[in-house]
């Protein structure tokens, strides 16, 4: 899995590409911990390039969302496609994580 | 296949390699020294031979010259008298010729042959000849006889025409003295009344050259050397082989033995040259030959030294040196071998000791070496032995820990399996099947299927996020919780799921969650009431064998959010239909080409099966195993089938 980070104002926009499974989730956890350490609190995860997400990946996103919630931050996801969208839909995560069609929409929601 | 065994120095032991290398080097050195010495000595001998030959030849040539010069001097005196005397009487002329023979040992015979114009016998030939008989008495002969007619003889004509003294080619004087002779002929002149010098005659001295043979035979030559005297035309005048004398020339012999070198010597002799050559002599023996001219007569003296005899000392010395070389060589060999042994003995000892260490005797004390490279090696080995002991101790400890953990995991596996129903309830009209196969020792999948007090069946399948021990613990909590809540007799499945979610979510700091699909089944009318917390939609196998995915409301996975309202779904399972629940370990099984088993394949595979619900989980698992074809199982696989038997 690759994480490509850009900034839109104070919002961290991260494009996740590849597979997010039990092995690669640790990379995301490290990355996220580092960003939190830097004081970032608004995150948009662009999942357009994500081919696969396992339950461990979902747990990692949930943990991130929960951590941000306690600190008054926020996390949005966008550009879900294919099986990844199916997994999010089926697991009910779409009911607890704000999801948008595009990065801009997601950023706008966090302003 | 066997490797061809090529000879390689590097395979041999150090001792052998040292010995071979040093031996080869010293053999080469010895050989070079021996050869150089031989060449140097041989060259020195050659120089000595040349010097010796030159000394001998020049000495002999001078001696011969001296003798011949005596004759020449006497002849000159006689000619002076003949030219000076105002009037020559017959008696005086005879006296002069006789005196010449008597006073010279070397002179065998002498004549004074007059031109008729100058003759004491006016205008008549006059040539009195005196010679020595064998007994030493002096005899007289008159050469001025018509049968001889001396003015036509070469000994008379040559000096007359050359106007100079002439040494004749040696000849055998048959009838005279029966000896080998040469004739020295000198022309003399007289002044007439008009004062003009005119040719008056020839004075000769016949010289036996037997004494030459004796003198040459008496030359003291080293090492089987011998001498030979040649005339200007190459005729043998003296030689140890008397058969050659006057019979052969150097050219005829050269032709016979086919020696261009001898031909060349013959030509050099004719030119009166001095030379030193090396080659085969007339007997075919390799020799050194030195030659030089006798100046007065134009003859040449040669000395011949057979090379083998000359080099005998060199050969002898070489043999001695070779003997010393071999002796020294053997001594060197012995020294090298002993030294190499001394060098390698510690290595051999080390090798043996290290071999024992390698077999596991880690406590063996290695032989300590005083210093040097072997000492350093020994120290390195001692350090390695020490490290190895430490490492093995740590490894043993780590292995023990791992074995303990493996044992604990095995127990955990058994414990987890015991949390799942050991036996499915036996309900008339129903066919039930279940299977759970964790990817590791313990997993995060779960299922439950039990008969409730009111005759309904409670069923549940779930999948905890993640894998391994954390997932297994979370699974145990979920199963215990669900079982307890289900036992309380909650009527609505949505409410039951909401309660499970609430309990799991409360103080859940790990963010772990579980997907759950649970429900009740009434075996009497086939009514299924279910609720879903983010689990995969079950497969419905229709009585006609066709398969569809059940359309269900997703619902949030359990354990995330304390307050979440789940929705209840409902369906009636007709007789002959089966509800197949599964976890994503089935649909997300990967083969080696990284293809997913997938929902489509699951539906197709299930539709093609003609087995009862009790056998369906095993059949599907077998199909998945065939699909992955040996690829390692990456996720837990759990299947639960509830089927109504056709009435």
């Amino acid at each position: 899995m690759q994480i490509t980070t850009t900034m839109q104002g104070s919002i961290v926009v991260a494009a996740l590409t590849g597979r997010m499974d039990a092995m690669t989730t640790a990379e995301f956890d490290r990355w996220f911990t580092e960003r939190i350490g830097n004081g970032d609190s608004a995150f948009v995860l662009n999942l357009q390039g994500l081919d696969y997400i396992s339950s461990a990946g979902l747990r990692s996103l949930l943990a991130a969302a929960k951590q941000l919630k306690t600190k008054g931050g926020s996390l949005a996801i966008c550009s879900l496609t294919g099986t990844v969208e199916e997994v999010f839909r089926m697991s009910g995560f779409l009911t607890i994580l704000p999801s948008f069609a595009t990065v801009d929409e997601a950023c706008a929601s966090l302003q | 296949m066997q490797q061809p065994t090529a000879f390689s120095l590097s395979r041999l032991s150090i001792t052998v390699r040292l010995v071979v290398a040093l031996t080869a080097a010293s053999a080469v050195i010895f050989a070079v020294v021996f050869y150089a010495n031989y060449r140097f000595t041989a060259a020195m001998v050659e120089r000595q031979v040349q010097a010796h030959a030159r000394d001998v030849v020049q000495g002999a040539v001078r001696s011969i010259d001296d003798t011949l010069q005596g004759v020449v001097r006497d002849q000159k005196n006689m000619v002076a008298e003949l030219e000076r005397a105002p009037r020559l009487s017959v008696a005086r002329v005879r006296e002069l010729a006789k005196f010449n023979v008597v006073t010279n040992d070397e002179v065998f015979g002498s004549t004074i042959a007059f031109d008729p114009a100058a003759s004491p016998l006016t205008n008549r030939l006059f040539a009195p000849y005196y010679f020595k008989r064998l007994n030493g008495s002096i005899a007289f002969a008159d050469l001025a006889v018509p049968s001889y007619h001396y003015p036509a003889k070469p000994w008379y004509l040559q000096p007359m025409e050359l106007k100079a003294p002439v040494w004749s080619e040696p000849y055998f004087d048959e009838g005279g003295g029966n000896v080998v002779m040469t004739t020295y002929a000198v022309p003399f002149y007289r002044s007439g009344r008009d004062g003009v010098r005119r040719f008056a005659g020839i004075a000769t001295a016949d010289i036996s050259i037997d004494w030459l043979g004796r003198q040459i035979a008496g030359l003291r030559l080293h090492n089987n050397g011998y001498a030979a005297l040649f005339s200007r035309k190459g005729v043998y005048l003296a030689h140890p082989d008397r058969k050659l004398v006057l019979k052969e020339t150097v050219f005829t012999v050269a032709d016979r033995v086919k020696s261009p070198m001898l031909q060349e010597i013959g030509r050099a002799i004719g030119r009166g040259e001095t030379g030193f050559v090396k080659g085969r002599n007339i007997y075919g023996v390799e020799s050194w030959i030195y030659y030089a001219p006798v100046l007065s007569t134009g003859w040449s003296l040669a000395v011949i030294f057979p090379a083998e005899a000359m080099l005998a000392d060199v050969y002898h010395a070489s043999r001695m040196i070779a003997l010393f070389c071999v002796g020294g060589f053997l001594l060197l060999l012995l020294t090298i071998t002993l030294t190499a042994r001394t060098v390698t003995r510690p290595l051999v000892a080390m090798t043996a000791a290290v071999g024992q260490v390698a077999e596991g005797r880690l406590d063996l004390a290695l032989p300590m070496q005083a210093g040097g490279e072997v000492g350093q090696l020994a120290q390195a080995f001692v350090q390695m032995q020490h490290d190895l002991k430490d490492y093995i101790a740590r490894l043993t400890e780590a292995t023990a820990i791992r074995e303990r953990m493996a044992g604990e995991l095995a127990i955990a596996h058994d414990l987890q399996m015991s949390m799942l129903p050991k036996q499915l309830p036996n309900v008339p009209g129903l066919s039930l099947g279940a299977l759970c196969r964790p990817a590791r020792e313990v997993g995060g999948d779960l299922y439950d299927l039990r008969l409730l007090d009111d005759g309904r069946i409670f069923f549940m399948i779930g999948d905890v996020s993640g894998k391994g021990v954390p997932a297994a613990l979370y699974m145990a909590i979920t199963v215990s919780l669900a079982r307890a809540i289900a036992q309380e007799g909650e009527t609505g499945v949505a409410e039951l799921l909401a309660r499970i979610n609430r309990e799991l979510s409360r103080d859940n700091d790990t963010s772990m969650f579980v997907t759950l699909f649970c429900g009740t089944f009434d075996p009497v009318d086939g009514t299924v009431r279910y609720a879903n917390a983010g689990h995969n939609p079950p497969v419905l196998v229709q009585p006609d064998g066709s398969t569809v995915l059940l359309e269900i409301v997703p619902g949030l996975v359990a354990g995330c959010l304390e307050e979440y309202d789940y929705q209840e779904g409902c369906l009636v399972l007709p007789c002959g239909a089966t509800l197949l629940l599964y976890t994503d370990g089935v649909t997300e099984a990967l083969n080696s080409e990284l293809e997913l088993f997938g929902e489509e394949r699951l539906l197709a595979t299930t539709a093609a099966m003609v087995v009862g619900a009790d056998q369906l989980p095993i059949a599907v698992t077998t199909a998945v195993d065939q699909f992955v074809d040996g690829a390692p199982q990456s996720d837990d696989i759990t299947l639960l089938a509830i089927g109504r038997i056709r009435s």
Side-chain angles (χ1 to χ4, degrees):
Chain A
M1 188 183 67
Q2 271 195 320
I3 305 169
T4 315
T5 311
T6 53
M7 298 297 292
Q8 285 211 2
S10 62
I11 302 170
V12 179
V13 179
L16 309 187
T17 50
R19 291 171 60 86
M20 191 171 183
D21 55 23
M23 304 290 283
T24 54
T25 293
E27 288 175 36
F28 176 81
D29 290 345
R30 263 200 307 279
W31 172 83
F32 184 74
T33 308
E34 197 178 305
R35 302 302 314 198
I36 290 285
N38 284 353
D40 293 322
S41 62
F43 290 83
V44 167
L45 302 181
N46 179 356
L47 306 185
Q48 189 161 28
L50 203 62
D51 300 326
Y52 169 81
I53 185 162
S54 75
S55 56
L58 289 178
R59 190 197 74 82
S60 213
L61 292 187
L62 180 64
K66 276 187 176 176
Q67 196 177 348
L68 282 172
K69 203 167 181 182
T70 58
K71 295 189 173 181
S74 53
L75 181 142
I77 56 176
C78 68
S79 310
L80 278 71
T81 54
T83 50
V84 172
E85 184 178 23
E86 181 65 16
V87 167
F88 272 92
R89 197 185 58 75
M90 222 159 64
S91 59
F93 265 59
L94 291 184
T95 60
I96 54 167
L97 285 178
S99 174
F100 300 92
T102 65
V103 174
D104 290 341
E105 283 178 40
C107 288
S109 75
L110 296 185
Q111 293 296 331
Chain B
M1 214 175 83
Q2 203 177 351
Q3 287 284 319
T5 50
F7 177 77
S8 167
L9 206 60
S10 58
R11 285 193 199 168
L12 301 173
S13 75
I14 291 177
T15 311
V16 175
R17 279 154 67 184
L18 269 177
V19 169
V20 168
L22 292 177
T23 302
S26 8
V28 168
I29 292 169
F30 277 133
V32 167
V33 167
F34 177 79
Y35 182 71
N37 173 70
Y38 171 77
R39 288 299 298 266
F40 178 76
T41 317
M44 194 175 71
V45 166
E46 189 176 321
R47 282 196 303 278
Q48 284 174 353
V49 166
Q50 197 172 359
H52 171 60
R54 192 172 54 235
D55 291 348
V56 167
V57 167
Q58 285 177 352
V61 162
R62 199 174 302 122
S63 155
I64 293 168
D65 249 354
D66 286 350
T67 308
L68 296 176
Q69 287 300 330
V71 174
V72 170
R73 201 167 45 245
D74 289 348
Q75 203 75 351
K76 207 182 263 175
N77 290 338
M78 187 170 77
V79 166
E81 167 109 29
L82 286 170
E83 292 187 342
R84 191 176 58 238
R87 182 172 151 62
L88 284 172
S89 68
V90 169
R92 178 62 186 156
V93 171
R94 286 186 170 175
E95 202 176 84
L96 280 174
K98 190 174 179 184
F99 181 78
N100 202 16
V101 177
V102 172
T103 54
N104 266 309
D105 282 347
E106 289 81 10
V107 176
F108 184 80
S110 179
T111 184
I112 300 166
F114 281 86
D115 182 78
S119 175
L121 304 174
T122 313
N123 291 329
R124 279 171 53 193
L125 296 177
F126 179 57
Y129 178 57
Y130 289 88
F131 62 96
K132 283 182 184 133
R133 289 188 190 282
L134 281 180
N135 59 14
S137 62
I138 308 297
F140 169 80
D142 187 4
L143 301 182
V145 289
S147 61
Y148 190 66
H149 192 66
Y150 64 83
K153 297 294 178 190
W155 59 263
Y156 184 90
L157 287 173
Q158 272 189 0
M160 182 183 82
E161 282 160 9
L162 288 173
K163 295 181 174 59
V166 170
W167 285 92
S168 75
E169 274 293 301
Y171 58 95
F172 190 75
D173 179 44
E174 224 162 335
N178 282 326
V179 286
V180 179
M181 293 203 296
T182 181
T183 299
Y184 182 60
V186 186
F188 61 92
Y189 303 84
R190 291 182 67 83
S191 304
R193 289 194 189 87
D194 49 4
V196 178
R197 263 170 67 92
R198 290 194 183 82
F199 173 72
I202 301 291
T204 71
D206 298 337
I207 298 161
S208 159
I209 53 173
D210 273 358
W211 62 272
L212 271 176
R214 283 195 300 278
Q215 182 165 358
I216 285 163
L219 286 176
R220 294 172 147 217
L221 296 177
H222 296 164
N223 303 93
N224 301 343
Y226 63 92
L229 187 70
F230 301 92
S231 76
R232 192 188 288 275
K233 290 183 175 172
V235 176
Y236 280 93
L237 301 184
H239 192 274
D241 182 359
R242 298 195 64 85
K243 283 200 292 291
L244 294 173
V245 175
L246 288 185
K247 305 275 195 317
E248 300 254 26
T249 70
V250 69
F251 298 106
T252 58
V253 172
D255 273 353
R256 199 168 64 237
V257 301
K258 295 183 175 60
S259 168
M261 186 199 74
L262 290 179
Q263 296 272 14
E264 182 49 46
I265 290 176
R267 283 193 288 276
I269 284 171
R271 292 191 294 267
E273 290 172 1
T274 300
F276 184 73
V277 291
K278 216 157 60 169
R280 296 187 181 280
N281 68 2
I282 60 172
Y283 306 113
V285 176
E286 193 69 27
S287 305
W288 282 302
I289 300 170
Y290 184 85
Y291 55 88
V294 179
L295 287 173
S296 54
T297 58
W299 303 337
S300 281
L301 181 67
V303 291
I304 297 104
F305 294 98
E308 200 172 334
M310 289 312 302
L311 289 173
D313 281 349
V314 178
Y315 292 151
H316 180 69
S318 293
R319 268 198 300 279
M320 289 304 292
I321 290 170
L323 215 61
F324 281 123
C325 279
V326 169
F329 184 69
L330 291 176
L331 189 66
L332 195 62
L333 196 66
L334 189 69
T335 313
I336 291 168
T337 309
L338 291 177
T339 310
R341 286 251 180 88
T342 315
V343 170
T344 55
R345 194 178 298 124
L347 278 177
V348 172
M350 276 296 295
T351 308
V354 170
Q356 288 192 329
V357 171
E359 283 168 10
R361 293 184 57 187
L362 289 178
D363 293 325
L364 187 78
L366 289 173
M368 285 311 293
Q369 312 295 340
E373 295 88 340
V374 181
Q376 288 170 9
L377 184 68
Q379 273 187 339
F381 266 118
V382 168
Q383 181 63 42
M384 200 175 83
Q385 191 182 18
H386 187 254
D387 292 351
L388 206 59
K389 251 154 70 178
D390 274 4
Y391 175 71
I392 287 177
R394 280 202 304 276
L395 195 65
T396 309
E397 201 179 330
T399 307
I401 291 172
R402 207 162 46 235
E403 279 172 358
R404 198 174 69 231
M405 286 181 72
E408 285 172 1
L409 276 176
I411 294 169
H413 171 82
D414 293 347
L415 269 174
Q416 187 176 36
M417 288 303 128
S418 72
M419 300 206 66
L420 303 175
K422 287 186 186 61
Q423 214 176 350
L424 296 177
N426 193 0
V427 181
L430 287 188
S431 174
L432 304 172
L435 182 148
C436 177
R437 195 173 76 185
R440 302 180 194 167
E441 285 83 352
V442 291
D445 276 11
L446 59 93
Y447 74 87
D448 201 5
L449 197 140
R450 59 185 60 252
L451 203 53
L452 296 175
D453 293 341
D454 57 7
R456 285 183 305 157
I457 287 170
F458 172 76
F459 63 88
M460 176 174 73
I461 190 165
D463 180 1
V464 178
S465 61
K467 272 175 265 187
V469 173
L473 289 173
Y474 203 82
M475 169 268 187
I477 294 169
T478 309
V479 169
S480 311
L481 204 59
R483 200 169 288 168
I485 293 169
Q487 284 298 344
E488 285 177 17
E490 185 67 52
T491 46
V493 288
E495 181 52 29
L496 185 136
L497 187 54
R499 279 186 64 187
I500 294 172
N501 174 50
R502 195 174 302 128
E503 293 302 326
L504 285 175
S505 304
R506 187 170 293 155
D507 303 326
N508 178 8
D509 296 330
T510 62
S511 294
M512 291 186 75
F513 59 81
V514 58
T515 69
L516 283 174
F517 186 93
C518 63
T520 57
F521 173 67
D522 191 338
V524 178
D525 57 6
T527 306
V528 179
R529 294 178 186 283
Y530 59 85
N532 180 33
H535 197 78
N536 308 54
V539 173
L540 183 61
V541 185
Q542 308 281 18
D544 62 359
S546 63
T547 50
V548 288
L549 285 176
L550 205 60
E551 289 198 10
I552 51 171
V553 177
L556 181 64
V557 292
C560 293
L561 215 58
E562 259 185 68
E563 292 308 323
Y564 191 87
D565 289 332
Y566 291 97
Q567 295 183 25
E568 184 178 302
C570 180
L571 75 105
V572 175
L573 198 67
C575 284
T578 299
L579 191 63
L580 177 67
L581 298 93
Y582 60 90
T583 58
D584 59 5
V586 173
T587 49
E588 289 175 12
L590 285 170
N591 68 5
S592 52
E593 269 93 55
L594 297 180
E595 291 171 327
L596 291 173
F597 188 70
E599 289 167 347
E600 294 302 322
R601 214 181 306 267
L602 176 62
L603 289 172
T605 308
T606 312
M609 284 172 179
V610 283
V611 294
D614 55 338
Q615 295 299 315
L616 197 54
I618 293 173
V620 171
T621 307
T622 307
V624 169
D625 286 346
Q626 279 172 357
F627 171 74
V628 301
D629 191 24
Q633 182 183 342
S634 59
D635 202 359
D636 309 333
I637 288 177
T638 303
L639 289 144
L640 184 59
I642 301 164
R644 278 188 87 186
I645 298 171
R646 290 169 208 272
S647 52

